[in-house]
Amino acid sequence: MKKQIWKWFAAIVMALSVLPAQSWAAGYTQTKYPIVLVHGLFGFDNIGPVEYFYGIPWALRVDGAKVYSTQVSAANSTEVRGEQLLTQVRQILAATGASKVNLIGHSHGGPTARYVASVRPDLIASVTSVSGVNKGSKVADVLLGVAPDGSLSNAVLTSITNGLSTIISFLSGSPTLPQSSRGAVNSLSTTGSLKFNAAHPEGVPTTACGEGAYQVRGVSYFSWSGAKPYTNVFDIIDPALALTSLAFAGAKNDGLVSSCSSHLGRVIRDDYAMNHLDAVNQTVGLVNIFETNPVTLFRQHANRLKNLGL
Ligand code: CA
């Protein structure tokens, strides 16, 4: 009963936050190739009945897109997750008869999608990185014991670690990092990301905070992200994101990823007033009411892909 009420509440919140701002038109999101969504660290299984890209697949399908949500290891290296994703992309291509897909990855899903496009560009029309960890996260660095820029006090470092524990606990139901997470944290650190980028450089900016190539080996690259860690007093995860944002020592960030690290290919925007979880319309639609709704951004992007013939 309680679960049922929660579901209705979530549906109403979503409807109120999404419906008025949308431009609904038949075919608006009807991309040529299927859209494949790729979750981030600790995605999916442990958020219970709530979908990771909250309300997003439906909002894309309603105006014509074919949308698939994939599931890869919650916490593992980018390469391992990438191989898992490649297998699912092949299955989707076989099931739909499409020749390519459009990949959209959130957080660690960004590099995961990039891996597939790097090893099989012939199967991918575009890669879009939403709040992607393309040049690492200072929060992962802190976890590995690498001091971030400037010298943060032990008290601040403790706050960052505590904030991250809260976020991990929230997303996975487990308050500590399981052993399998070591690969994930390494991949998400600055050092690990730079190593990955050397092997898979497609779309990654060659300057510290510029744009990357818009198209490489036939694959189009895009990115967007937010830069406001605390956005909604009703969202229980926001205080934790405010703590982890301390790792960035003042640089623009969304609580877990800096704006500059999120850049890939064509940067649509890197400073929406949203945090790392707002970007996928979490928690259950509790986002910044003074900013464009994240679901709208996904719809606009599907329209952008459609207009580019993708
Ligand atoms: Ca939120």
Side-chain angles (χ1 to χ4, degrees), residues 235 238 275 278 282-283 286-287:
D235 193 332
D238 282 32
N275 63 38
D278 290 341
Q282 299 285 6
T283 309
L286 291 172
V287 295

Side-chain angles (χ1 to χ4, degrees), residues 31 33-39 53 57 60-61 65-72 84-86 88-93 96 98 100-106 109 113 116 123-124 126-128 298 305:
T31 54
Y33 302 109
I35 292 174
V36 174
L37 302 173
V38 190
H39 67 80
F53 289 83
L60 293 174
R61 283 185 193 120
K66 278 201 175 79
V67 184
Y68 294 84
S69 296
T70 50
Q71 184 157 16
V72 295
Q84 293 170 341
L85 177 61
L86 176 55
Q88 288 166 68
V89 166
R90 284 205 188 95
Q91 289 164 350
I92 292 164
L93 293 175
T96 58
K100 295 181 182 192
V101 296
N102 291 301
L103 295 173
I104 305 183
H106 174 247
V116 175
L123 303 181
I124 308 301
S126 70
V127 170
T128 302
F298 277 84
L305 295 173

Side-chain angles (χ1 to χ4, degrees), residues 119-168:
V119 299
R120 287 302 302 272
D122 54 313
L123 303 181
I124 308 301
S126 70
V127 170
T128 302
S129 162
V130 178
S131 314
V133 197
N134 295 311
K135 287 191 175 174
S137 166
K138 299 279 185 216
V139 180
D141 293 349
V142 167
L143 209 66
L144 287 176
V146 181
D149 300 339
S151 48
L152 298 178
S153 70
N154 281 336
V156 173
L157 291 176
T158 304
S159 293
I160 294 166
T161 312
N162 288 344
L164 189 64
S165 296
T166 305
I167 294 165
I168 288 168

Side-chain angles (χ1 to χ4, degrees), residues 17 37 65 82 99 144 154 167 182 194 206 252 257 267 273 292:
S17 62
L37 302 173
S99 57
L144 287 176
N154 281 336
I167 294 165
R182 203 66 195 175
L194 295 183
T206 51
K252 276 196 302 184
V257 180
V267 178
T292 308

Side-chain angles (χ1 to χ4, degrees), residues 182-253:
R182 203 66 195 175
V185 175
N186 276 320
S187 282
L188 297 171
S189 69
T190 302
T191 312
S193 295
L194 295 183
K195 204 170 145 201
F196 177 78
N197 292 349
H200 307 286
E202 296 86 354
V204 176
T206 51
T207 55
C209 200
E211 288 190 302
Y214 284 18
Q215 201 179 47
V216 187
R217 295 156 79 200
V219 181
S220 296
Y221 288 86
F222 306 88
S223 58
W224 77 78
S225 67
K228 194 170 168 62
Y230 194 108
T231 60
N232 190 314
V233 293
F234 296 110
D235 193 332
I236 56 166
I237 205 66
D238 282 32
L241 287 166
L243 288 181
T244 51
S245 75
L246 296 170
F248 298 90
K252 276 196 302 184
N253 73 89

